[in-house]
Amino acid sequence: MPPRIRRAPARRTAPEEVPDRVSALPDEALHAVLSLLPAHDAVRTCVLARRWRHLWEHAPALRVTDVEGWNPRLRGEAGLRKFIRFVDGLFVSRRRCDAPLELCDLDFDFPEEDKGKDWHVNRWIMLALLRHHARVLRISLPAYVALPDVPLISQRLTRLELDGVLGNDNILDFSCCPALIALKMKCCRINAEKMSSPSVKILSLASCEFYPATRTQMSFPSVVSLELDGCSGSVPFLESMPSLVAAIVRFDDDYADRCDNSVLGDCGDDSCVDCCNYSDRSKCVCLNGLLEATHLELSAEPAMYVIRRDLNLLLACHTFAKLKTLVLGEWCMTHDLSALIRFLQQSPILEKLTIKIPKVLILSVLVSAAPRGLCLGWPFWIKAKVLKSHFTLSQSTLRLVATRGARARHLFDGAARPAGRAMASGADRISDLPEDVLHHVLSLLPSRDAVRTCVLAQRWRDLWRSVPAVRVAGARGWASADAFVLFVDRLLRLRRGRAALDTCDLDLRFDGPFPGGEQHGNRWIRRALRRQVRVLRFLLSTVPRVPLPLPDSPLVSDSLTTLELKGVLGNNQVLDFSSCPSLVDLKMEDCYVGGLEMWSPTVRNLSMRYCFFYSNYRARIDFPSLVSFKFNKNLGRTPLLERMPSLATATVRLDHFCDDRCSNGRYDDCGDAECKGCHDYYAPSDYGCVFLEGLTEAKDLKLSAYSDVYLFNRDLKCCSIFSKLKNLVLNAWFVAPDLSALTWFLQYAPLLERLTLKVSEVPNNLVETEGSYSQLEQSFAASHLQIVEIKCKEVHGIILKILEVLNANGIPLEKISIRCSGHGFACWVR
């Protein structure tokens, strides 16, 4: 074999060093790059190299965004404190640099239960304006934050964007910001009598809530561009805007200034709340501030009367002298077209007019004389004769354009076009059915499927708009939550004005959170009530489970008979159902009772399941007309029940979620100040019977509770007689501490006919009890009682003691049945 040749190992050479070209850039370029990053990413660059150590402190933009690593909801209380310290450190670290802050963007979500969120956010706003002189300030908070009751002061602020804040008169006075040019507010609550700024030129308010009872005065004399879109409450007063060029004003049915009886709002009906509450009838509300506009869009629901009333008050002595482009909505379609005619008469240089209306036929009118370029979308082309009587329009200028189902097909997804225009062979017998029958068929479908029927034939195009039921079966299956919200918004808004809505079933199931849920959910509820809905179901389920706060105002409806709520939070105002005089059935599940009183004079059937009550306060339930009552597995302190004279059946179950439990295992007051169950319990001597007193008129009663829940035992000490009770079911709680509860019912239920006792376990203190029970002087129950049924797993000592009590009260063994279900089988002992 040839000898092996050993090769010398190759000499290792050091890798060629790659130059750091990014760090070689000027500071201004690096600052610009860092300003595009979220703050937590920009701070992390301090470890890249020595030069980067303090670069982030000089970045002209500070972006505090809601990311997974800092989201307080995902990190608990410790994560929240860490997040607050991080943001505080950002503002403190910038003290060392003199560079002004161009942009401060605060976009994050505080937990709703955090009571200090207002203080932290307001402190960061003041630091950004007063210490760092921010030019652009953006605040975006999903949970409402109350801004401080002081004006914003800044000589450098030019743009302000607010989302999810609550402002009052002082904070909405921007006169202390002389450089402010652009103001944008979205999803804000405006609790102010006046908003003003002498310098703002661009003003946008979208989905904001104004006072429903009083009007907010808006004074912005320098505004060039104005947008009011999708707000709610009362339409604000717009003062004169001499510099106005473009304005977009959209009033939907969330505004209070609406009337379904009169186009001008003065219907004369005392029961019409919106007409009666309308103030300043001789003063123009909004059009006075829009007179100087060159481009104007006015969109409103047909029932909105503010614009039509303003036209009557204003255009008699004023004109739109600069108006060239005008877009109008359905509101101008009155029987005599007077609103449209007034606009045409008082707009001398108008060049283009567009009317947006939801009809199939569109009439396009092109006019060469003044006004030029007139475009009208018209429900019936024959109405063009009305215009010809006021303007010189030649017949050759009229052009009829037919569109096929443009409304529903473009507004809702999933409505595919038919393969061809010609119908398949065979007669269309379904379309020949009466309209009421078709409405009934569509009312059984989910609304998404009902809308898709608009492409079937000409007759089906608008049938979905008059269906008596709206059924939204969850948000799953949609491309995004925004698409789902848009569908429900338009589904409720595009219904025919006079079409009755019998049922509105909103079953909202989300695999994650519901973004903007409070705003969207409350808007849908208000729209359904305005449509005179009879049955309203609003069921919300999110992951994680977060309740949706209902508005701080009562629900008002004369036609609502059934209300079902799930996953909502209600306060004293919304839990007062006296403004719903027809309400009969009320069902609440997984709801937070955030008030101290629930009241309705008309509700006959009440069901509460898995609801959350206060732990340290006892709410009061007052339903004097109640016939059926179900109270099952609710959490917190059991409420105080008022008397129910009409009550027939009641089912109550208190389990380990109930806070009326003694930590020391006592059935009376243990006297321990550390025991919250006894310390916060309303003593019977002060408040009387807490719960059972409201059930004394029941004929059929089921009382179920864990053996350590003492509420029933304490109530029996001062409870009135059950004079109508015929059927009674008791479970394990009655055996403690000495079967006194059973003895009480035998003594104070004179008409009792059937008694069912469910025995699951035996308390230790009862097993050790010895001695027999003494004979009562007279047992009223013995004469009417027909059967006593005892259900248990096995016959033990407690069963014998129960038999002794029954025998001592004059109940013979012939009327007693014992059912044992232990060891997998059941047997009866008579």
Side-chain angles (χ1 to χ4, degrees):
M1 293 180 61
R4 292 184 179 180
I5 301 176
R6 301 184 66 180
R7 297 182 179 179
R11 181 177 298 177
R12 296 182 180 180
T13 58
E16 183 179 357
E17 185 176 355
V18 179
D20 185 4
R21 297 181 180 179
V22 177
S23 296
L25 294 174
D27 285 352
E28 292 77 6
L30 296 179
H31 289 159
V33 172
L34 291 177
S35 65
L36 302 177
L37 298 177
H40 69 282
D41 289 335
V43 171
R44 289 169 179 167
T45 61
C46 67
V47 300
L48 296 179
R50 181 176 295 276
R51 187 190 176 194
W52 290 80
R53 182 167 299 173
H54 299 292
L55 275 178
W56 65 271
E57 298 177 1
H58 298 263
L62 183 62
R63 303 177 186 272
V64 182
T65 56
D66 208 9
V67 295
E68 184 177 357
W70 289 106
N71 193 332
R73 292 184 180 277
L74 302 179
R75 303 294 289 236
E77 186 176 352
L80 176 60
R81 291 196 300 267
K82 187 175 180 180
F83 175 78
I84 293 173
R85 288 196 301 268
F86 170 74
V87 181
D88 287 339
L90 291 177
F91 287 102
V92 172
S93 299
R94 289 190 62 91
R95 293 180 184 176
R96 297 190 290 265
C97 65
D98 297 331
L101 192 60
E102 293 294 320
L103 169 65
C104 181
D105 188 356
L106 304 179
D107 184 2
F108 49 83
D109 187 5
F110 264 121
E112 296 182 4
E113 62 273 9
D114 182 27
K115 299 180 180 180
K117 62 181 179 180
D118 295 354
W119 186 81
H120 294 300
V121 173
N122 293 330
R123 179 164 51 88
W124 296 335
I125 292 175
M126 294 306 173
L127 288 173
L129 295 180
L130 300 179
R131 182 167 295 170
H132 301 293
H133 309 290
R135 289 183 63 252
V136 179
L137 178 61
R138 294 175 183 159
I139 309 295
S140 181
L141 305 169
Y144 281 109
V145 170
L147 294 180
D149 192 13
V150 293
L152 294 180
I153 301 176
S154 175
Q155 301 294 323
R156 197 167 179 270
L157 184 65
T158 60
R159 185 179 183 87
L160 178 61
E161 298 182 12
L162 302 175
D163 185 353
V165 301
L166 188 151
N168 53 23
D169 288 274
N170 287 326
I171 198 70
L172 296 179
D173 179 6
F174 302 101
S175 58
C176 296
C177 300
L180 186 61
I181 296 177
L183 174 60
K184 182 178 180 181
M185 300 179 67
K186 180 181 179 182
C187 300
C188 297
R189 289 180 179 176
I190 301 175
N191 295 339
E193 295 182 359
K194 185 175 182 180
M195 295 176 58
S196 62
S197 172
S199 60
V200 168
K201 295 184 178 181
I202 302 174
L203 178 61
S204 174
L205 283 82
S207 302
C208 293
E209 297 181 21
F210 290 94
Y211 271 139
T214 60
R215 299 194 187 280
T216 301
Q217 185 178 357
M218 299 179 61
S219 178
F220 295 88
S222 301
V223 162
V224 177
S225 174
L226 172 67
E227 180 180 5
L228 287 175
D229 187 9
C231 299
S232 61
S234 294
V235 177
F237 276 118
L238 300 183
E239 293 189 357
S240 178
M241 305 175 187
S243 304
L244 186 63
V245 175
I248 299 176
V249 179
R250 299 188 180 102
F251 299 145
D252 57 17
D253 58 359
D254 286 331
Y255 277 100
D257 303 299
R258 51 180 290 113
C259 178
D260 293 318
N261 303 323
S262 172
V263 296
L264 295 179
D266 290 324
C267 63
D269 187 358
D270 295 336
S271 62
C272 184
V273 179
D274 296 321
C275 289
C276 295
N277 291 340
Y278 189 88
S279 59
D280 298 318
R281 299 178 182 273
S282 60
K283 186 177 181 181
C284 184
V285 175
C286 63
L287 288 188
N288 186 47
L290 308 176
L291 285 175
E292 303 298 328
T294 303
H295 307 282
L296 179 60
E297 178 179 344
L298 291 176
S299 178
E301 291 293 318
M304 288 287 298
Y305 56 74
V306 171
I307 302 178
R308 289 189 289 263
R309 181 175 290 181
D310 280 1
L311 283 173
N312 289 347
L313 296 174
L314 186 68
L315 294 187
C317 54
H318 295 82
T319 61
F320 286 89
K322 303 178 183 179
L323 189 60
K324 294 185 178 180
T325 303
L326 177 62
V327 180
L328 302 178
E330 281 185 89
W331 64 270
C332 67
M333 294 293 100
T334 57
H335 66 284
D336 56 357
L337 302 178
S338 58
L340 176 60
I341 294 172
R342 282 182 176 273
F343 257 115
L344 297 177
Q345 290 175 339
Q346 303 297 330
S347 304
I349 62 172
L350 185 64
E351 296 178 355
K352 183 177 181 180
L353 170 63
T354 302
I355 302 179
K356 298 179 180 180
I357 54 176
K359 295 297 179 181
V360 178
L361 298 181
I362 299 178
L363 177 66
S364 299
V365 183
L366 303 177
V367 186
S368 56
R372 300 192 307 270
L374 184 62
C375 299
L376 299 179
W378 215 255
F380 304 102
W381 70 270
I382 196 64
K383 287 191 175 181
K385 294 182 179 180
V386 180
L387 292 180
K388 292 178 65 176
S389 64
H390 291 82
F391 304 95
T392 304
L393 303 179
S394 61
Q395 188 67 28
S396 61
T397 62
L398 301 182
R399 202 159 45 87
L400 186 63
V401 180
T403 60
R404 298 185 57 83
R407 181 179 184 84
R409 197 164 18 245
H410 292 290
L411 292 182
F412 302 97
D413 66 333
R417 294 178 180 270
R421 293 186 179 182
M423 187 175 295
S425 59
D428 182 9
R429 298 181 180 179
I430 296 180
S431 295
D432 293 336
L433 294 173
E435 192 167 281
D436 294 341
V437 176
L438 297 179
H439 283 161
H440 177 71
V441 173
L442 291 179
S443 67
L444 303 177
L445 298 176
S447 293
R448 192 177 186 182
D449 295 334
V451 171
R452 288 170 174 165
T453 61
C454 67
V455 301
L456 296 179
Q458 180 79 21
R459 188 187 179 192
W460 292 78
R461 187 161 297 162
D462 292 317
L463 276 178
W464 62 270
R465 298 178 60 199
S466 306
V467 173
V470 170
R471 303 184 189 277
V472 179
R476 296 168 185 168
W478 290 82
S480 64
D482 293 338
F484 171 75
V485 169
L486 182 62
F487 170 78
V488 181
D489 275 338
R490 294 182 174 179
L491 179 68
L492 295 174
R493 190 182 62 200
L494 297 180
R495 288 185 57 84
R496 294 190 185 276
R498 299 294 181 180
L501 182 59
D502 183 79
T503 302
C504 182
D505 192 349
L506 302 177
D507 188 358
L508 312 179
R509 296 186 297 272
F510 292 87
D511 294 328
F514 183 16
E518 179 178 357
Q519 172 195 352
H520 301 312
N522 291 328
R523 181 172 67 250
W524 297 339
I525 291 175
R526 288 195 300 267
R527 285 182 175 175
L529 294 179
R530 287 174 180 171
R531 297 289 184 180
Q532 305 299 317
V533 65
R534 292 182 60 255
V535 179
L536 175 60
R537 298 186 182 96
F538 187 87
L539 314 179
L540 177 64
S541 177
T542 60
V543 179
R545 184 174 61 183
V546 178
L548 184 144
L550 294 178
D552 190 13
S553 58
L555 299 179
V556 180
S557 175
D558 292 332
S559 56
L560 185 65
T561 60
T562 301
L563 176 62
E564 185 174 344
L565 300 174
K566 180 180 179 181
V568 302
L569 185 152
N571 53 20
N572 282 335
Q573 296 292 330
V574 77
L575 295 177
D576 179 2
F577 300 101
S578 58
S579 298
C580 300
S582 302
L583 185 61
V584 175
D585 300 313
L586 175 60
K587 183 177 181 181
M588 300 176 65
E589 181 177 349
D590 200 13
C591 296
Y592 286 72
V593 181
L596 295 179
E597 183 175 4
M598 294 179 60
W599 150 253
S600 172
T602 59
V603 168
R604 297 175 60 85
N605 303 307
L606 174 63
S607 175
M608 302 187 71
R609 185 168 179 259
Y610 296 120
C611 291
F612 293 75
F613 290 87
Y614 284 123
S615 296
N616 51 350
Y617 297 102
R618 202 179 292 280
R620 187 171 71 94
I621 295 181
D622 189 2
F623 291 84
S625 302
L626 208 61
V627 176
S628 174
F629 179 50
K630 294 181 180 180
F631 193 84
N632 191 14
K633 295 184 179 181
N634 296 290
L635 293 80
R637 189 70 69 179
T638 308
L640 178 68
L641 285 188
E642 297 290 344
R643 291 187 64 87
M644 306 172 188
S646 305
L647 186 65
T649 61
T651 302
V652 180
R653 181 174 182 180
L654 307 178
D655 57 9
H656 58 277
F657 295 116
C658 178
D659 287 344
D660 291 310
R661 308 153 61 104
C662 179
S663 57
N664 298 317
R666 296 287 297 273
Y667 295 95
D668 53 357
D669 191 353
C670 66
D672 187 359
E674 299 297 328
C675 178
K676 294 184 178 180
C678 294
H679 185 267
D680 294 333
Y681 183 82
Y682 292 159
S685 59
D686 298 331
Y687 291 87
C689 188
V690 172
F691 194 81
L692 289 184
E693 186 68 29
L695 307 178
T696 53
E697 302 295 331
K699 297 180 180 179
D700 297 289
L701 181 61
K702 296 181 181 180
L703 297 178
S704 176
Y706 277 30
S707 57
D708 59 346
V709 176
Y710 55 70
L711 180 72
F712 295 152
N713 296 88
R714 294 191 184 183
D715 272 3
L716 290 178
K717 295 180 180 180
C718 54
C719 186
S720 302
I721 187 173
F722 282 78
S723 58
K724 303 178 182 179
L725 187 62
K726 293 185 177 181
N727 187 12
L728 176 63
V729 178
L730 304 176
N731 82 328
W733 68 271
F734 77 91
V735 302
D738 54 1
L739 291 176
S740 58
L742 175 60
T743 305
W744 190 96
F745 274 107
L746 292 175
Q747 181 72 19
Y748 295 102
L751 300 182
L752 187 63
E753 297 177 355
R754 184 181 182 89
L755 175 62
T756 303
L757 304 176
K758 299 180 180 179
V759 183
S760 57
E761 58 183 8
V762 184
N764 295 329
N765 61 342
L766 186 60
V767 175
E768 299 173 357
T769 303
E770 295 181 358
S772 61
Y773 293 85
S774 59
Q775 171 74 41
L776 296 178
E777 295 182 359
Q778 176 66 33
S779 177
F780 298 99
S783 59
H784 293 85
L785 194 60
Q786 299 176 3
I787 184 172
V788 177
E789 183 180 350
I790 302 175
K791 297 181 180 180
C792 59
K793 292 184 178 180
E794 58 183 358
V795 178
H796 40 63
I798 185 60
I799 302 299
L800 300 179
K801 294 183 180 295
I802 292 175
L803 294 176
E804 291 180 10
V805 173
L806 296 176
N807 185 45
N809 285 271
I811 301 174
L813 294 178
E814 292 78 11
K815 295 183 178 182
I816 302 175
S817 298
I818 303 176
R819 181 180 181 182
C820 300
S821 58
H823 306 292
F825 64 92
C827 64
W828 284 86
V829 180
R830 266 320 269 260

